[in-house]
Amino acid sequence: MKDYMVKDIRNIAVLGHGSEGKTTLVESMLYAAGVIDRQGRVEDGNTVSDYDPEEIKRHISISASVAPIEIHGKKLNLIDVPGYFDFAGEMAGPLAAVEGALIVVSAVTGISTGFEKAWNETGKHGLARFIAISQVDREHINYRAVLDSLRGKAFTGAGKDRHEIPIPEDMKPLVEEALEACHEAAASTSEDLMEKYFDEGQLSDEEMLRGLSAGIYEGSIVPVAPVSSLDGIGVRPLLYALAMYMPSPMEHTYHGINPKTKSMHIRHADMSESFTAQVFKTIADPFVGKLSLIKVVSGVLTQATPLFNANADKPEKAAGIFMIRGKKQTPVSMLCAGDIGALSKLQYTSTGDSLCEIGKVVQYDSIVFPAPQLSMAVYAKKAGEEDKVFSGLARLCEEQPDVIVAKDPMTTETLISGQGELELEIVRQKLLSKFGADALFKDPKIAYRESIRKTIKVQGRHKKQSGGHGQFGDVWIEFSPADEGVDFEFVDAVVGGAVPRNFIPSVEKGLRENLVKGVLAGFPMTGLRAKLYDGSYHPVDSSEMAFKTAARIAYKQCINASPVLLEPIMHVEVSVPDEYMGDIMGDMNKRRGRILGMEQSDGKQLIVAEVPQAEMFKYATDLRSMTQAKGSFKMSFERYEEVPAAISAKIIEAHKADLADDEE
Ligand SMILES: Nc1nc2c(ncn2[C@@H]2O[C@H](COP(=O)(O)OP(=O)(O)OP(=O)(O)O)[C@@H](O)[C@H]2O)c(=O)[nH]1
Ligand SMILES: [Mg+2]
């Protein structure tokens, strides 16, 4: 591959709803540009982009992949981004690395949720946008209807390579209409072009290029191109239009800071500036090891560049510099401003990090990944393989920053969280295939708690005096519900030395040690007040241990203080389009939820509710199917509440059975 000037580079993310034809379009563009001599098919598992065994097995894209194409003297770095919502985490990185987006919408299904999300996200990033209406070769399509539904969002017009395509008679009116629309759109981007257009009724090619590029760059023009990737119809004109009209990185200004001095730095895609780059994706490659995919923001990178990681505040050393196309890595001696490539074996670097030169530190905004929507508990299938499982997961999480593995402080389980069940299942499969570690993903435990509802006064008397050193400890404790929000309160109300001062801390310690196991089912006790108000001791046989045991005996009698089971209640905010509100509320009621309120927000209905955590497992999956993935939700812990009696009986039984299993 030859070196390209910055002005001739086009970085383009290919986005859209799942199965709309993104990978197939990238494949047919590679073929049309002569990069590959045989066009692969997703069904045959031989496309350039979908090279991961899991992708080949499932015929969907799972991770973003880069496919550079050289055409019309330009270098188009296409990044094929998965459309399925389980892989939503794969969009954030590429959006930080590109200046343009090609959003694919199928002529069969028209605008869908994935299109809306891609449209909104690319809008937020201020990217230049093209739309490809794919699958126009399919039957029962209504191209016009799709075009009209897009009209509300974009300008219509087919990019065209005049020198190549003869126009059939019956298509002439459509092409004329599109050409006229192109002229109007180009003219609308500046006063002088508007004037010229009104005076002469048309613009020159150069003026068209200037006008359309300006409009596409500022977002007022979004070209729409019909394509059939299987037959290649419209693919070459689209390539031409992307090469001609998409902005180069030169048009952008990049803002960074020096994290230590807080000084601001402005960078341009200029080879004379110092080298800076951002890592937008990390791949754990079985052969070259860790690969960090980078977008060179400014300057030039060679093996001699003194690399520095601004986020880790550490010098870095790359084993190699590569150009990437699908799974193929081609070693190169340098990467220039504006271009996309990869570095191998960086030690301290993760996705989102900024790389620069030692002594010329610039850090760009980190990449924000979507918050996890679903969690599962992780166990090694075979005892003793825990390390293998968790070290493998740590490696895989480097590749997928939206997947998080962390200990749940409430249940001490290790949880893996991500966008959806499919994403987590694929992580589990990769753990097995790449690292030979077999894991079990289960529904996480609920951090139930126990408490008491009644006040009782009880005695805990421990006496063992059968030869040798005896043991004696005797306490009277009043157990009662503590104030709201208090976990445990110990009150020393001993008078007259009934329990010697030095043993009172042992009573408290004894109680605290036992609180981890409630009297009802063995869940941790909370909201308990223990007032030690009397007792007795033996001058010889009393000891710390004896009083701890006495405390335990007293504590066990909390079973008579109307103990109850408490469950975590979550504060849930669900954002959905109006038409789904009824379903969501009905579903919330089925989950023992309490609707607190509804309000309009961002053009959607925001439903606020409180729902038991136990009813919210896999809510991400259910919400997606109830709202065709148009809904989103946020959830956070609110408080503990009593579990209804009927439900608590089942939970207690199940937990006792679990504890019995653990003891075996
Ligand atoms: N007839 C026809 N089928 C197409 C065309 N483009 C894609 N397909 C088919 O549509 C299906 C999905 O295509 P993909 O390219 O995998 O779609 P995608 O958008 O990459 O899907 P994800 O990566 O899973 O989001 C495959 O069966 C393709 O063969 C087209 O232009 N015409
Ligand atoms: Mg795909």
Side-chain angles (χ1 to χ4, degrees):
M1 189 175 288
K2 73 181 184 100
D3 293 331
Y4 283 83
M5 309 272 287
V6 185
K7 69 176 179 54
D8 296 324
I9 293 175
R10 309 281 182 267
N11 298 314
I12 303 165
V14 183
L15 308 163
H17 197 75
S19 287
E20 303 272 277
K22 301 175 290 296
T23 301
T24 312
L25 178 55
V26 169
E27 188 75 6
S28 75
M29 289 204 267
L30 287 161
Y31 180 67
V35 178
I36 52 177
D37 49 24
R38 194 165 158 273
Q39 182 169 343
R41 283 170 27 109
V42 171
E43 290 81 351
D44 304 338
N46 57 2
T47 62
V48 169
S49 298
D50 288 359
Y51 60 84
D52 183 282
E54 291 295 332
E55 293 177 320
I56 293 171
K57 190 167 87 187
R58 296 163 194 272
H59 300 162
I60 55 171
S61 304
I62 290 170
S63 78
S65 62
V66 181
I69 291 179
E70 298 167 271
I71 192 156
H72 304 300
K74 312 279 189 247
K75 180 183 179 204
L76 279 52
N77 287 320
L78 302 178
I79 308 181
D80 178 16
V81 177
Y84 273 81
F85 301 113
D86 277 69
F87 314 118
E90 287 293 314
M91 195 199 279
L95 288 184
V98 298
E99 292 77 29
L102 172 62
I103 308 178
V104 179
V105 54
S106 150
V108 182
T109 48
I111 289 187
S112 43
T113 317
F115 175 93
E116 303 277 2
K117 290 196 172 170
W119 181 260
N120 296 339
E121 283 305 312
T122 52
K124 277 187 215 148
H125 281 75
L127 301 181
R129 295 178 283 197
F130 269 64
I131 295 172
I133 301 183
S134 66
Q135 316 200 26
V136 294
D137 59 293
R138 299 261 309 263
E139 287 182 6
H140 315 305
I141 64 158
N142 185 343
Y143 176 77
R144 210 3 100 196
V146 177
L147 204 52
D148 292 342
S149 67
L150 289 168
R151 275 238 159 89
K153 296 179 185 302
F155 168 78
T156 312
K160 65 169 192 55
D161 181 357
R162 260 198 229 120
H163 315 299
E164 284 185 12
I165 306 177
I167 303 167
E169 269 318 306
D170 62 337
M171 289 284 285
K172 276 208 169 118
L174 189 65
V175 173
E176 288 318 318
E177 179 201 326
L179 205 54
E180 196 187 321
C182 280
H183 273 86
E184 278 169 17
S188 70
T189 58
S190 78
E191 273 180 39
D192 67 317
L193 288 179
M194 189 63 92
E195 226 171 279
K196 165 86 190 289
Y197 183 57
F198 278 136
D199 294 351
E200 298 175 23
Q202 67 168 25
L203 300 171
S204 68
D205 283 4
E206 185 280 324
E207 286 160 343
M208 280 285 276
L209 180 62
R210 185 156 48 89
L212 289 176
S213 304
I216 291 166
Y217 177 59
E218 71 200 24
S220 62
I221 296 176
V222 180
V224 178
V227 293
S228 158
S229 309
L230 292 190
D231 311 338
I233 297 169
V235 172
R236 283 192 65 81
L238 174 59
L239 273 170
Y240 176 80
L242 292 171
M244 286 304 133
Y245 299 117
M246 270 294 191
S248 83
M250 267 175 74
E251 269 114 292
H252 275 251
T253 305
Y254 304 89
H255 299 266
I257 61 158
N258 176 319
K260 282 220 175 104
T261 64
K262 302 289 177 231
S263 55
M264 304 288 285
H265 292 270
I266 292 182
R267 283 284 181 278
H268 305 90
D270 182 335
M271 290 161 69
S272 67
E273 292 185 9
S274 72
F275 164 75
T276 62
Q278 186 165 36
V279 178
F280 67 91
K281 185 168 177 56
T282 302
I283 298 173
D285 183 88
F287 306 105
V288 294
K290 183 166 112 176
L291 263 182
S292 305
L293 274 58
I294 64 169
K295 158 72 183 292
V296 180
V297 176
S298 63
V300 177
L301 172 74
T302 66
Q303 275 294 7
T305 307
L307 272 183
F308 190 80
N309 180 318
N311 301 67
D313 192 25
K314 285 202 168 95
E316 267 286 21
K317 187 106 197 71
I321 308 177
F322 300 90
M323 200 54 80
I324 301 280
R325 181 177 287 129
K327 67 177 175 207
K328 197 155 171 272
Q329 301 116 23
T330 312
V332 290
S333 59
M334 69 177 199
L335 284 175
C336 299
D339 210 350
I340 284 177
L343 298 174
S344 62
K345 295 210 171 80
L346 294 177
Q347 206 179 350
Y348 308 107
T349 297
S350 321
T351 307
D353 286 0
S354 299
L355 298 172
C356 53
E357 293 179 33
I358 293 177
K360 299 177 184 160
V361 179
V362 178
Q363 182 179 320
Y364 297 109
D365 289 344
S366 278
I367 299 172
V368 180
F369 292 92
Q373 300 283 305
L374 181 125
S375 299
M376 304 284 278
V378 184
Y379 290 85
K381 229 181 215 164
K382 282 195 221 106
E385 283 210 344
E386 284 74 14
D387 287 356
K388 207 169 156 188
V389 165
F390 293 118
S391 61
L393 279 178
R395 295 279 306 278
L396 287 173
C397 287
E398 274 192 318
E399 282 193 296
Q400 291 174 257
D402 66 306
V403 174
I404 294 160
V405 175
K407 213 165 192 76
D408 178 338
M410 308 284 262
T411 64
T412 70
E413 279 186 318
T414 300
L415 301 184
I416 182 165
S417 308
Q419 303 307 312
E421 291 173 71
L422 180 57
E423 182 184 37
L424 297 185
E425 176 51 23
I426 289 171
V427 170
R428 204 183 66 75
Q429 297 276 352
K430 282 189 178 174
L431 193 58
L432 192 57
S433 59
K434 281 193 174 179
F435 302 97
D438 208 350
L440 206 59
F441 288 2
K442 296 199 275 189
D443 281 348
K445 287 182 186 154
I446 298 283
Y448 289 108
R449 293 284 178 269
E450 296 182 25
S451 194
I452 61 170
R453 286 288 175 262
K454 212 169 77 185
T455 299
I456 54 168
K457 289 184 173 188
V458 297
Q459 180 184 29
R461 186 178 164 81
H462 173 57
K463 183 177 180 183
K464 232 192 197 164
Q465 289 167 320
S466 48
H469 198 294
Q471 291 183 13
F472 181 82
D474 175 24
V475 294
W476 280 90
I477 299 177
E478 177 194 83
F479 289 106
S480 59
D483 294 343
E484 181 77 31
V486 174
D487 212 8
F488 175 63
E489 185 192 0
F490 178 76
V491 182
D492 168 6
V494 173
V495 290
V499 176
R501 302 241 60 70
N502 58 321
F503 291 137
I504 292 176
S506 324
V507 177
E508 180 175 358
K509 207 163 164 219
L511 289 174
R512 282 187 188 280
E513 281 171 8
N514 283 283
L515 287 179
V516 288
K517 218 165 177 230
V519 290
L520 198 53
F523 292 110
M525 179 72 88
T526 184
L528 185 71
R529 184 172 187 274
K531 186 165 92 176
L532 173 64
Y533 65 94
D534 202 356
S536 68
Y537 66 97
H538 184 278
V540 180
D541 293 350
S542 283
S543 65
E544 278 195 17
M545 185 44 92
F547 271 96
K548 272 172 77 172
T549 313
R552 193 180 67 236
I553 294 168
Y555 169 74
K556 290 274 173 237
Q557 294 164 62
C558 282
I559 192 73
N560 306 321
S562 305
V564 290
L565 195 62
L566 305 178
E567 63 180 340
I569 300 295
M570 310 304 277
H571 176 88
V572 181
E573 295 186 3
V574 187
S575 166
V576 288
D578 291 8
E579 66 264 34
Y580 299 106
M581 195 167 71
D583 296 348
I584 298 298
M585 289 166 64
D587 175 73
M588 274 297 168
N589 291 331
K590 277 194 226 123
R591 292 169 195 268
R592 301 191 286 127
R594 266 192 312 271
I595 310 280
L596 301 182
M598 284 141 326
E599 60 191 67
Q600 272 284 343
S601 141
D602 267 349
K604 290 189 171 178
Q605 279 294 342
L606 187 71
I607 298 153
V608 183
E610 288 183 346
V611 192
Q613 186 188 30
E615 307 285 347
M616 289 300 283
F617 278 135
K618 308 232 166 80
Y619 189 67
T621 314
D622 300 342
L623 181 64
R624 217 178 272 169
S625 54
M626 280 190 283
T627 65
Q628 296 172 325
K630 290 195 172 95
S632 61
F633 78 108
K634 276 190 290 192
M635 182 164 78
S636 57
F637 172 73
E638 184 66 25
R639 77 174 80 77
Y640 272 96
E641 266 180 26
E642 216 170 301
V643 180
I647 297 174
S648 109
K650 280 196 219 107
I651 297 167
I652 293 167
E653 209 183 301
H655 190 60
K656 282 187 176 161
D658 279 356
L659 289 178
D661 288 355
D662 293 352
E663 267 149 29
E664 270 164 28

